[in-house]
């Protein structure tokens, strides 16, 4: 069978990324132009700056992705692009670019949900992985537990009722004086810290598989502010470790419940927070103890990239799910 080559574009937040993916599973190129250093100056992503930077970089990034894969636009079978959720101005840059290429080269256009992309990073990492499985998606904007019934077919089991896990990490990190994005920095600080220093609540929202991080975050912020008011030096590493433990325990507990009750034997992790060292170690230990298959993308595939979008696009293309040239960015696009 002839190979299917997809050029994928991702620009939903602060990375301008393009990738050429073969048959949904093999990365021929993966180019990421990160804006993190720029946004760090402001302590978070500035949407207007993100859009401008995407416009500046996107052609370069695509040219590089084609060159690295040693292909031209004429070799492609389709264009895949993230059209939501994300920052509208940022998304629009990728969507407009993808539509222009699809129109000019008469190629099919596939719109991809950003979170479906994160889930699909697992197909690249684990070539034999097939649905059904349970997937814990934890990123800066999402904390979802989903049952992946088939390619592109999801049942939402649970989600955060307030903050996303990554958002909670970033806010806690800020109190500890760490810059954006705080998650990885907080995790680094937590190494060697005493994770029992600060007892934190493990909230149980009504939904059986739902998460809540807002109460946990507030308890953490209050404890830090109280210490500061008393003039005490913050035991930063211990606080970071306690916070990380509380978030990871909650994620593991809910994921285990969902996996057990689903009757399935495979759990996948996806999204930026799945790069977290403690989450990966704790899940690995649980998998060994309980005998389920744990799949997680390599660290560089956990955070935003276009290869994962190319994988998701392949399975949409296979089902004939094409986007019209009127495709628009949808900042709050739902997964199911
Ligand atoms: O998936 P992602 O790259 O972008 C979104 O789609 O949101 O996720 C970014 C989020 C940020 O909140 C970042 O702090 C968090 O993932 N993150 C981490 C780690 N690496 C990234 N959180 C905790 N530990 C990490 N090692
Ligand atoms: Zn993401």
């Amino acid at each position: 069978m002839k190979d299917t080559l997809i050029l994928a574009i991702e620009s939903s937040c602060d990375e301008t990324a393009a990738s050429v993916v073969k048959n949904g599973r093999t990365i021929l190129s993966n180019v990421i132009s990160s804006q993190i250093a720029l946004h760090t100056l402001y302590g978070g992503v500035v949407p207007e700056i993100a859009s401008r930077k995407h416009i500046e970089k996107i052609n370069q990034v695509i040219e590089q992705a084609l060159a690295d894969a040693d292909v031209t636009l004429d070799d492609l079978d389709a264009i895949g692009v993230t059209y939501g959720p994300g920052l509208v101005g940022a998304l629009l840059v990728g969507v407009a670019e993808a539509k222009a290429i699809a129109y000019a080269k008469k190629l099919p256009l596939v719109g991809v949900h950003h979170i479906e992309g994160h889930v699909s990073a697992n197909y690249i990492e684990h070539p034999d992985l097939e649905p059904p499985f349970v997937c814990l998606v934890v990123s800066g904007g999402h904390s979802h537990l989903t049952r992946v019934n088939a390619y592109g077919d999801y049942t939402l089991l649970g989600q955060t009722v307030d903050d996303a896990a990554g958002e909670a990490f970033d806010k806690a990190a800020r109190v500890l004086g760490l810059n954006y994005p705080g998650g990885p920095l907080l995790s680094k600080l937590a190494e060697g810290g005493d994770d029992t220093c600060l007892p934190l609540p493990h909230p149980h929202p009504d939904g059986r598989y739902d998460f809540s991080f807002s109460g946990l975050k507030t308890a953490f912020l209050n404890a830090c502010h109280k210490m500061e008011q008393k003039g005490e030096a913050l035991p930063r590493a211990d606080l970071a470790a306690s916070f990380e433990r509380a978030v990871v325990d909650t994620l593991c507990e809910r994921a285990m419940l969902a996996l057990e009750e689903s009757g399935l034997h495979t759990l996948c992790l996806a999204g930026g927070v799945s790069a977290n060292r403690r989450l990966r170690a704790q899940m690995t230990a649980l998998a060994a103890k309980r005998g389920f298959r744990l799949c997680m993308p390599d660290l560089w595939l956990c955070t935003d990239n276009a290869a994962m979008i190319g994988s998701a696009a392949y399975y949409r293309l296979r089902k004939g799910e094409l986007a019209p040239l009127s495709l628009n960015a949808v900042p709050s696009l739902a997964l199911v």
Side-chain angles (χ1 to χ4, degrees):
M1 212 171 72
K2 186 191 164 295
D3 287 333
T4 301
L5 292 189
I6 294 184
L7 170 68
I9 300 171
E10 155 65 41
S11 69
S12 66
C13 190
D14 56 357
E15 328 273 1
T16 319
S19 170
V20 178
V21 177
K22 187 170 84 176
N23 302 330
R25 299 266 177 170
T26 307
I27 300 177
L28 300 189
S29 65
N30 187 39
V31 180
I32 304 174
S33 168
S34 174
Q35 308 175 359
I36 287 182
L38 197 63
H39 297 292
T40 296
L41 292 171
Y42 305 95
V45 178
V46 184
E48 188 54 31
I49 295 180
S51 314
R52 284 164 192 261
K53 210 67 198 165
H54 284 310
I55 292 176
E56 214 178 290
K57 292 282 176 190
I58 196 147
N59 283 328
Q60 239 171 291
V61 165
I62 290 173
E63 274 168 24
Q64 190 65 49
L66 293 171
D68 288 357
D70 201 16
V71 299
T72 69
L73 289 176
D74 294 324
D75 298 316
L76 300 175
D77 297 288
I79 308 290
V81 64
T82 306
Y83 74 109
L87 302 168
V88 67
L91 288 164
L92 274 171
V93 177
V95 169
E97 181 83 15
K99 290 199 292 190
I101 299 174
Y103 179 68
K105 302 306 287 184
K106 297 189 172 51
L107 286 170
L109 177 68
V110 185
V112 174
H113 190 289
H114 182 75
I115 294 302
E116 180 162 301
H118 276 300
V119 173
S120 305
N122 283 288
Y123 298 137
I124 295 173
E125 186 76 42
H126 305 280
D128 63 329
L129 175 68
E130 305 253 5
F133 53 84
V134 171
C135 189
L136 172 69
V137 184
V138 271
S139 72
H142 298 83
S143 296
H144 282 164
L145 255 172
T146 63
R147 186 186 196 281
V148 182
N149 305 310
Y151 291 109
D153 175 11
Y154 308 89
T155 304
L156 186 61
L157 302 175
Q159 60 186 322
T160 180
V161 296
D162 39 55
D163 293 354
E167 198 180 345
F169 265 111
D170 293 341
K171 286 181 182 161
R174 192 178 285 209
V175 183
L176 296 177
L178 302 168
N179 214 323
Y180 169 84
L185 298 174
L186 183 142
S187 183
K188 185 99 195 75
L189 180 63
E191 280 173 33
D194 172 8
D195 63 14
T196 61
C197 136
L198 181 68
L200 286 165
H202 282 211
H204 288 101
D206 289 345
R208 196 160 169 69
Y209 310 117
D210 284 344
F211 308 102
S212 166
F213 296 111
S214 166
L216 175 63
K217 178 195 72 191
T218 308
F220 182 80
L221 301 194
N222 286 345
C224 292
H225 289 150
K226 248 186 225 152
M227 285 182 211
E228 277 168 347
Q229 277 163 6
K230 283 199 232 156
E232 293 171 12
L234 292 184
R236 293 168 71 246
D238 297 348
L239 289 170
S242 299
F243 183 82
E244 189 180 46
R245 174 188 175 180
V247 174
V248 169
D249 282 354
T250 305
L251 293 174
C252 287
E253 183 201 308
R254 292 293 149 125
M256 286 308 103
L257 193 64
L259 185 65
E260 255 164 41
E261 294 185 355
S262 72
L264 298 174
H265 304 286
T266 303
L267 174 71
C268 294
L269 307 186
V273 180
S274 59
N276 181 268
R277 179 191 50 89
R278 183 173 186 131
L279 178 64
R280 295 170 82 91
Q282 211 153 303
M283 285 292 193
T284 302
L286 284 165
K289 195 164 134 204
R290 300 186 183 206
F292 62 88
R293 179 179 184 196
L294 175 67
C295 294
M296 40 193 185
D298 204 71
L299 296 183
W300 61 272
L301 262 178
C302 287
T303 43
D304 290 350
N305 64 82
M308 66 185 197
I309 304 301
S311 175
Y314 172 78
Y315 291 102
R316 291 271 166 198
L317 178 71
R318 241 179 37 170
K319 289 202 281 182
E321 293 177 9
L322 303 182
L325 283 175
S326 58
L327 180 72
N328 204 350
V330 185
S332 56
L333 184 67
L335 184 64
V336 278

